[in-house]
Amino acid sequence: MFFKLVIVILVSLAAAEDLNFTYNGFLSANLSLDGVAQVTSNGLLKLTNDSGNDTVLGHAFYPNPVTFKNSSNATAFSFSTTFVFAIRSEFGLRLGGQGIAFVIAPTRGLPGGSLIQYLGVFNETNNGNASNHIFAVELDPIQNPEFGDINNNHVGIDINGLRSVNSTPAGYHALNNGGFRNLTLISGQPMQVWVEYDGIQKQINVTLGPINVDKPHIPLLSSKYDLSTVLNTTMYVGFSSTAGAVYTSHYVLGWSFEMNGQAPGLVLSQLPKLPRIGPKKISNFLTVGVPVMSLSLVLLVVLGLIYFIRRKRKFAELLEDWELEYGPQRFKYKDLYIATKGFKENELLGTGGFGKVYRGILPSSKIEIAVKRVSHESRQGMKEFVAEIASIGRLRHRNLVSLLGYCRRKGELLLVYDYMPNGSLDKYLYDRPTVTLNWSQRFRVITGVASGLFYLHEEWEQVVIHRDVKASNVLLDGELNARLGDFGLARLYDHGTDPQTTHIVGTLGYLAPEHIRSGRATTSTDVFAFGAFLLEVACGRRPIEAQGPDQNLILVDWVFSFWNRGAILEARDQNLSSEFVAEEVELVLKLGLLCSHAEPTARPSMRQVVQYLEGEIALPDLSLLGFSSNGLTFAHHEGFDDFAMSYYSSPGKGFSHSSYAAESAVLSGGR
Ligand SMILES: *[C@@H]1O[C@H](CO)[C@@H](O)[C@H](O)[C@H]1NC(C)=O
Ligand SMILES: *[C@@H]1O[C@H](CO)[C@@H](O)[C@H](O)[C@H]1NC(C)=O
Ligand SMILES: *[C@@H]1O[C@H](CO)[C@@H](O)[C@H](O)[C@H]1NC(C)=O
Ligand SMILES: *[C@@H]1O[C@H](CO)[C@@H](O)[C@H](O)[C@H]1NC(C)=O
Ligand SMILES: *[C@@H]1O[C@H](CO)[C@@H](O)[C@H](O)[C@H]1NC(C)=O
Ligand SMILES: *[C@@H]1O[C@H](CO)[C@@H](O)[C@H](O)[C@H]1NC(C)=O
Ligand SMILES: *[C@@H]1O[C@H](CO)[C@@H](O)[C@H](O)[C@H]1NC(C)=O
Ligand SMILES: *[C@@H]1O[C@H](CO)[C@@H](O)[C@H](O)[C@H]1NC(C)=O
Ligand SMILES: *[C@@H]1O[C@H](CO)[C@@H](O)[C@H](O)[C@H]1NC(C)=O
Ligand SMILES: *[C@@H]1O[C@H](CO)[C@@H](O)[C@H](O)[C@H]1NC(C)=O
Ligand SMILES: *[C@@H]1O[C@H](CO)[C@@H](O)[C@H](O)[C@H]1NC(C)=O
């Protein structure tokens, strides 16, 4: 009893408030539907379906009664409503079909509503009878002469019957005096309708517009009519429609209503989407969409495949069965490519006789590396060479640059070394260096290189001949420790070359005469090169320096001439200030001459070199070793001529790299 009372009070309170509602789509609306009316799964109110069968009818009403007057003899309130509708003919046909009506009626359904031309609102007996108490706005695409319809595309205000109080062709007054524009009700396009009643002025305005324009300022229809006699105290608001056998559907997409005020605006973007217009759209999709889509798909797959193949080719490597045992020393080309940022020019550290050297950072371990790219066309001898690399890879000495591993591609070999931040020694020695080394640093470099070379010759499990000892192959680590690099590389070009050509690899000025003659590298030829290196470091000059056209300064001869005059210290680098140890400079210069002896047997071994440098044994007297005063003992001129001849007469393929070295030695006097 108590609850009932509370509910009654609540209901009357709610009713006292001015009613308003907004439906942007009808999924959450509790409409009262009859006939074939339905709310589709996406929220469209579909009043009729496109059965193409007999005429069908559909009604949809706001479920609750709406108070339009204070009492039965009072004047009607103002109200405003707006909705979006669409009349769709299937197959894109504009066959006509019935219209749609906004209705204010005394009952929720329209029990007497007839089919066909009565829009489901009236029937032939009650049409026009004032006892109907029905107000309607018709959107009518059919001309019914019996109701005085003006054309087959009109909007009308109907009171109690289908003979309109006022009607006009569908259209709208565009904003900003844009003129009147026709609209076709059955176009299938959604359109918006505003119905407004001013209870004081007794004026009914009806405005129509396409969905994408703002509400026109000038109404399409405006009629003076007092609805107080038409509308009862409580009424029902809704829509009514019928469809004949013409495959036409009537939709309402959104609806709002406000008593005594302006109907809330609809949020057009939230309105449910109309279904695609049937077969034509589908055929468009089939004839254009599907081929275009499948073509794009094929294109995409092809592009993907091309990308994949190019990537695969870009990072392709050569890997043969025999290499499997060197697995740990094998680097992935992709890793090296990423490490050096694709072998970018600004990662280039230098260009040597064998190829370009790039700086890099290994992607996984972030270790800094130097990658030497050696182009190598011949596969001959590669197996032995890689075996040698693998064994060299196990060499570890504080004065040797560690070879971390290798990678092999078609025509290309990549060697991965420890990165030496201070670069090669030569740039501290000649060509007016910006930074030079003082004597104690130079002496440390010399003893370091000697110790590294001694390790290669005698201390390791097998004899390794370096073949290319020179200042530019000596690298300086972070603490300026000398580290000998590039060992064994020369051997790559020693294998399998044409026997007709002299296969010498090395750099002119560091090549022992017997090496040029026989082509055979020995520990002795390494000692000869080390001698040239000693003079280089002490004098700050290249072994052969161009002094003019056809005139070269041969460093050994030059130093020898100072020795001959009994003033060997004068040959030292003038960049060395007075801070040098005279005994050490003299030792190094004399040892340089001794190592450069033309007779291999007269040269010391690396073991002896180390002992001399450490002062363990005294250097023999040079004058007792057959150094004659004319300097021919060094036989440099002879060797140079031989070499030049063999270079010009045998431009063999496998020779190209050593010839490069020779050429650059002649032109620039260095590496
Ligand atoms: C709309 O009606 C609700 C109650 O249903 C009310 O709270 C609200 O103030 C009304 N809004 C307007 C603009 O009248
Ligand atoms: C139209 O609606 C009627 C009644 O709801 C139904 O029987 C018929 O199958 C519908 N036709 C179509 C094409 O949806
Ligand atoms: C039309 O619909 C009715 C039921 O609503 C059905 O009995 C009749 O067979 C249909 N006719 C056609 C031609 O589809
Ligand atoms: C929907 O409206 C009907 C009356 O038309 C009412 O009985 C029913 O409870 C309402 N449902 C909801 C969920 O509001
Ligand atoms: C209806 O009655 C209310 C008071 O109950 C009054 O404020 C309002 O003006 C009346 N409206 C009309 C149209 O008579
Ligand atoms: C309206 O009707 C009520 C009774 O329902 C009556 O008291 C009142 O005088 C009437 N007013 C007018 C203006 O007729
Ligand atoms: C017309 O509608 C009225 C109710 O509005 C009903 O009483 C009458 O029977 C209907 N006549 C026909 C022919 O359907
Ligand atoms: C209007 O309808 C009522 C009842 O529905 C009837 O009594 C009356 O005669 C009708 N008037 C006309 C002019 O048809
Ligand atoms: C609009 O329609 C009317 C007929 O209803 C026609 O006379 C007029 O030319 C049309 N205007 C345009 C711009 O199509
Ligand atoms: C109806 O339209 C007329 C003319 O544009 C305008 O003066 C009047 O205020 C409008 N009434 C309503 C209720 O919108
Ligand atoms: C509407 O009001 C009239 C009097 O104004 C009354 O005769 C009629 O029965 C009412 N209709 C309904 C459905 O309440």
Side-chain angles (χ1 to χ4, degrees):
M1 198 58 202
F2 172 75
F3 278 114
K4 215 169 181 178
L5 193 71
V6 170
I7 288 167
V8 167
I9 288 169
L10 281 177
V11 165
S12 54
L13 272 176
E17 291 228 22
D18 288 334
L19 172 87
N20 67 74
F21 57 79
T22 305
Y23 299 126
N24 292 302
F26 296 93
L27 276 183
S28 62
N30 183 21
L31 297 180
S32 165
L33 305 174
D34 67 45
V36 297
Q38 54 175 324
V39 173
T40 65
S41 58
N42 69 334
L44 285 169
L45 170 56
K46 189 176 183 183
L47 289 169
T48 61
N49 66 10
D50 43 21
S51 65
N53 194 335
D54 288 324
T55 309
V56 290
L57 163 152
H59 294 142
F61 278 86
Y62 181 71
N64 305 319
V66 180
T67 307
F68 275 90
K69 293 195 287 195
N70 276 339
S71 63
S72 57
N73 58 357
T75 57
F77 302 152
S78 296
F79 67 86
S80 160
T81 190
T82 182
F83 59 91
V84 174
F85 76 98
I87 302 172
R88 294 212 138 180
S89 256
E90 294 307 318
F91 316 119
L93 305 173
R94 292 187 179 178
L95 291 174
Q98 303 297 325
I100 184 171
F102 167 73
V103 185
I104 303 176
T107 55
R108 199 154 42 204
L110 289 164
S114 172
L115 307 176
I116 325 210
Q117 62 271 58
Y118 295 94
L119 289 174
V121 183
F122 307 103
N123 63 31
E124 57 206 48
T125 53
N126 70 5
N127 189 29
N129 193 321
S131 67
N132 286 331
H133 295 282
I134 288 175
F135 166 80
V137 173
E138 64 167 58
L139 303 152
D140 193 356
I142 284 186
Q143 184 168 19
N144 286 311
E146 69 263 40
F147 307 136
D149 283 355
I150 51 167
N151 68 4
N152 64 351
N153 183 44
H154 61 274
V155 179
I157 297 170
D158 298 347
I159 291 173
N160 293 324
L162 278 177
R163 189 170 285 272
S164 300
V165 170
N166 192 358
S167 72
T168 186
Y172 68 104
H173 299 277
L175 293 174
N176 306 318
N177 299 322
F180 187 80
R181 304 205 181 150
N182 287 342
L183 285 174
T184 304
L185 295 173
I186 202 165
S187 67
Q189 295 305 311
M191 290 175 223
Q192 191 164 2
V193 177
W194 293 264
V195 178
E196 290 150 319
Y197 175 67
D198 185 335
I200 296 157
Q201 300 293 324
K202 325 285 183 214
Q203 190 169 30
I204 307 161
N205 285 356
V206 177
T207 313
L208 180 69
I211 191 145
N212 52 353
V213 304
D214 289 339
K215 184 191 172 192
H217 293 155
I218 304 170
L220 179 63
L221 278 173
S222 188
S223 293
K224 286 272 183 187
Y225 201 100
D226 187 357
L227 290 181
S228 303
T229 56
V230 179
L231 302 178
N232 279 10
T233 312
T234 58
M235 300 288 279
Y236 291 89
V237 291
F239 301 93
S240 172
S241 182
T242 58
V246 284
Y247 297 97
T248 306
S249 304
H250 300 88
Y251 294 97
V252 180
L253 290 75
W255 181 25
S256 74
F257 184 94
E258 170 106 27
M259 191 61 78
N260 287 316
Q262 186 75 39
L266 299 174
V267 184
L268 300 180
S269 61
Q270 289 179 7
L271 300 184
K273 297 280 173 293
L274 286 168
R276 293 178 183 284
I277 290 179
K280 200 175 178 188
K281 271 275 154 69
I282 284 169
S283 75
N284 265 356
F285 176 75
L286 283 173
T287 55
V288 182
V290 168
V292 163
M293 267 167 62
S294 29
L295 209 75
S296 324
L297 201 77
V298 167
L299 215 74
L300 214 76
V301 166
V302 167
L303 282 178
L305 221 67
I306 288 173
Y307 174 79
F308 185 76
I309 288 170
R310 282 183 61 164
R311 196 183 153 83
K312 187 106 181 159
R313 195 172 291 166
K314 187 172 169 184
F315 296 128
E317 296 173 15
L318 269 184
L319 180 63
E320 289 170 68
D321 286 347
W322 53 263
E323 273 180 276
L324 294 177
E325 59 179 293
Y326 311 122
Q329 276 141 338
R330 182 87 202 202
F331 278 80
K332 275 196 148 45
Y333 180 71
K334 193 174 156 187
D335 287 345
L336 298 182
Y337 188 89
I338 293 167
T340 58
K341 298 178 182 147
F343 297 99
K344 235 179 165 173
E345 277 306 302
N346 51 2
E347 299 296 313
L348 191 64
L349 289 171
T351 307
F354 297 107
K356 294 181 168 180
V357 185
Y358 296 85
R359 197 184 82 100
I361 296 170
L362 281 179
S364 51
S365 54
K366 305 285 173 235
I367 291 175
E368 271 192 303
I369 52 166
V371 182
K372 186 163 215 144
R373 261 186 133 170
V374 182
S375 76
H376 189 271
E377 295 304 332
S378 148
R379 275 186 62 239
Q380 282 182 309
M382 185 53 90
K383 193 168 171 177
E384 293 92 325
F385 181 71
V386 169
E388 199 159 305
I389 289 186
S391 80
I392 285 168
R394 289 186 287 118
L395 280 171
R396 288 288 177 268
H397 188 273
R398 60 189 296 269
N399 295 110
L400 296 178
V401 177
S402 298
L403 176 67
L404 302 176
Y406 77 104
C407 176
R408 215 154 63 82
R409 306 187 77 206
K410 195 169 182 295
E412 192 174 41
L413 180 73
L414 296 113
L415 298 170
V416 183
Y417 293 98
D418 258 351
Y419 173 67
M420 293 292 130
N422 281 318
S424 59
L425 176 66
D426 57 336
K427 69 175 188 205
Y428 298 92
L429 291 180
Y430 25 75
D431 296 334
R432 289 182 209 89
T434 46
V435 182
T436 181
L437 301 179
N438 64 28
W439 178 253
S440 76
Q441 285 167 330
R442 289 187 199 204
F443 195 67
R444 211 155 70 88
V445 164
I446 286 168
T447 53
V449 173
S451 149
L453 202 52
F454 172 51
Y455 176 79
L456 288 179
H457 284 184
E458 295 184 36
E459 285 190 313
W460 202 50
E461 58 200 46
Q462 65 191 72
V463 176
V464 177
I465 298 170
H466 187 290
R467 289 156 195 263
D468 206 7
V469 176
K470 56 179 173 178
S472 60
N473 270 344
V474 172
L475 301 161
L476 299 177
D477 67 13
E479 285 93 45
L480 289 178
N481 289 316
R483 282 165 168 263
L484 192 51
D486 260 4
F487 35 85
L489 194 53
R491 204 150 146 69
L492 177 60
Y493 297 95
D494 236 14
H495 289 290
T497 42
D498 184 351
Q500 294 296 304
T501 59
T502 320
H503 34 83
I504 306 164
V505 179
T507 308
L508 202 62
Y510 300 87
L511 288 169
E514 83 278 7
H515 187 187
I516 295 174
R517 269 194 302 272
S518 70
R520 229 171 73 82
T522 60
T523 51
S524 230
T525 60
D526 266 1
V527 171
F528 184 92
F530 180 74
F533 165 76
L534 288 179
L535 299 180
E536 214 178 349
V537 176
C539 304
R541 287 172 182 272
R542 292 194 168 91
I544 301 175
E545 269 182 15
Q547 299 241 304
D550 304 329
Q551 216 189 343
N552 292 320
L553 182 138
I554 310 292
L555 186 56
V556 188
D557 291 351
W558 190 74
V559 175
F560 180 75
S561 68
F562 280 98
W563 173 77
N564 223 9
R565 276 185 270 138
I568 194 165
L569 266 183
E570 301 294 307
R572 70 173 192 275
D573 189 351
Q574 294 310 307
N575 281 336
L576 288 171
S577 53
S578 54
E579 290 171 36
F580 62 90
V581 183
E583 294 76 33
E584 284 176 1
V585 178
E586 195 176 326
L587 170 70
V588 167
L589 287 169
K590 281 183 176 173
L591 186 57
L593 290 180
L594 186 58
C595 293
S596 302
H597 202 289
E599 186 53 53
T601 52
R603 294 173 208 150
S605 69
M606 280 318 291
R607 177 186 296 274
Q608 285 170 312
V609 166
V610 170
Q611 284 169 335
Y612 291 141
L613 287 171
E614 285 175 357
E616 282 177 19
I617 52 173
L619 202 64
D621 189 348
L622 294 190
S623 48
L624 300 176
L625 285 164
F627 280 85
S628 61
S629 51
N630 59 23
L632 276 178
T633 323
F634 298 109
H636 250 287
H637 304 90
E638 185 197 339
F640 178 76
D641 291 347
D642 277 2
F643 186 83
M645 269 175 70
S646 67
Y647 162 51
Y648 289 116
S649 60
S650 48
K653 234 187 171 181
F655 193 61
S656 59
H657 276 273
S658 60
S659 64
Y660 171 82
E663 197 171 43
S664 67
V666 171
L667 293 179
S668 65
R671 81 175 165 165

